[in-house]
Amino acid sequence: MRRRGFLKALLTFFGTVSLASFAYPLVRFFAPPSSSAVNEKVVLAKQEIPIGGSKVIVFNDKPAIVINVPGKGLIALSKVCTHLGCLVEYDKDKNRLVCPCHAGTYDLQGNVISGPPPKSLPKIPLRVDGEQIIIG
Amino acid sequence: MVMGEKIRNWLDVRIGLNELIRTQLAEYRVPKNINVFNALGTIAFVGYLIQAISGMFLMIYYIPHSDHAFKSVQDIMTIAPYGWLFRQMHVIGSNLLIAAVILHMVTIFLMGNYKRPRELTWISGALMLLLTFTFGLSGYLLPWTQLSYWATTIVTSIPTAFPVVGEYISRLFRGGDYVSGITLTRFFALHVSILPPLFLILMAVHVALIRRIGLSATPFGKSDEEKRPLTEFRKKTHPDGYPYYPYLVQKQALMVIVYFMVMFAFITFAPTFFFPEATTVPADPFRTPETIRPEWYFLAPYQMLKLIPNKFLGISMLIVVAFLFVFWPFLDTQKEKNIFRRPVLRWVFISLMIGWVILMWWGKR
Ligand code: HEM
Ligand code: FES
């Protein structure tokens, strides 16, 4: 009887261990490797964006927008709405960035004005070097 | 006829055909007062069968890659002979199937048929409903249209409201930081190879339990529900009932015909009903279309999420609702099955229905 109990415990132990040892590989297998694109700079010519104008770029694989805000100069913002990930559009007349999905609105600094977005649009560092705009 | 007789005999020797027919069709009795709503479960099953078969046909031409998916689906509609028929059956079928499953659940609820000893039947059914929604969700991405792409972007962002694990779950579904070809592969795997066996297992449990326990009598009017101790099992043989064949089979056949009629009415008279404009444009990860709306069965929870300002609170509420739903038989422990004698439950039900309809209508605007 004692031998049987011992064998049972042994079987349970090794069975559990062999099953459990699959857990870590599985978690790793399903989660994708984190994105490879790291801060690749985007360079634009200054005359591409007149005052009040804008240009959509791809930064780190994600859409972003560079706006030449009248009176405030150039700014680069992520286009990905912080609510549920739709892409905001630049409304030139109202000076706003508007999300088509649930009507989230942001000002041209990326701050939330109205709607469900929980935080402001991330700013992307931007620097003007002579005739060039360097983003990233 | 002689030939038929011979085949029958041959089979009887090998699989006990006569005994199967006797025990499963003739001696299996159903209560006298069941009605066509008792055939809705069968409709759900037949609906699934149609999805499985039309889905196999679609897989003959569909290409699960972000560069080709949209084109291959267009080709199914325009080039493959009768491809449009099977795609329409699959798309319209998916919507009808969900409507049928929801109706099945509502009637089970109204008749109190989830009560002891059928708690597990309800739970397996509730899990199948969630599974059915997951089928719909994963299938939605496969044609790789603007609508698929952005609806999936929204849905897969929802878990990010959760601290700590949210990001991981979202990335798990997307296979990256945003919806991409990797997501398409994952959803395809889910839709055609992970969900179907899960469904089959749950379905087997569901049906085995129903056969073991016996169908409930309708709690309205004359009821033969017997009083017995909570711990004891006695199969409901309904000695005063009617044989399953042909009594219930007739009703099931009628409902199957109605199901097909509705399906082909849609295909014939409203073929674009389930194809809004954004389904005719290929996915463009750099442009969000003007109107992006989930399918009708997700509108109510979607609108709820929009209304609750705190994302985390909204999603937690949805999860709580799902839990209450799955474990409902353990929460409603009253013995009375007849909803006409349960004023509180009746009002809970009516307000839930009204709330759902309002949210759905609101979400659609
Ligand atoms: C998803 C696909 C589903 C299929 C294929 C299915 C299939 C069936 C079938 C064939 C029956 C027997 C006949 C009838 O009473 O309709 C049945 C009964 C039942 N179903 Fe489902 N069902 C599904 C979903 C659900 C859901 C979502 C629920 C509830 C949450 C549910 C709860 C029940 C219960 C409690 C019974 C027992 C009825 C009785 O004993 O009278 N089922 N189901
Ligand atoms: S995704 Fe932008 S407001 Fe919801």
Side-chain angles (χ1 to χ4, degrees), chain B residues 38 41 45 104 108 113 118 121-122 125-126 128 203 206 210 216:
Chain B
N38 286 79
F45 180 69
H104 170 53
I108 296 287
N113 287 348
R118 299 191 177 81
T121 318
W122 171 276
M128 274 197 282
M203 180 71 207
H206 203 65
I210 292 158
S216 319

Side-chain angles (χ1 to χ4, degrees), chain A residues 27 30-31 83-84 87 101-102, chain B residues 157 168 186 288 292 302 311:
Chain A
V27 170
F30 286 121
H83 180 223
L84 294 174
L87 298 183
C101 288
H102 317 107
Chain B
S157 300
Y168 177 84
R186 285 180 181 224
T288 310
I292 206 76
Y302 179 69
K311 259 208 292 185

Side-chain angles (χ1 to χ4, degrees), chain B residues 27-47:
Chain B
E27 282 176 13
Y28 174 57
R29 285 181 180 259
V30 296
K32 267 189 174 140
N33 67 357
I34 57 170
N35 49 50
V36 280
F37 295 113
N38 286 79
L40 281 171
T42 312
I43 291 303
F45 180 69
V46 172

Side-chain angles (χ1 to χ4, degrees), chain A residues 54-57 63-67 75-79 88 90 97:
Chain A
S54 67
K55 189 165 171 68
V56 176
I57 58 166
I65 187 165
V66 187
I67 310 173
I75 185 166
L77 294 168
S78 158
K79 273 192 97 189
V88 297
Y90 174 39
L97 289 159

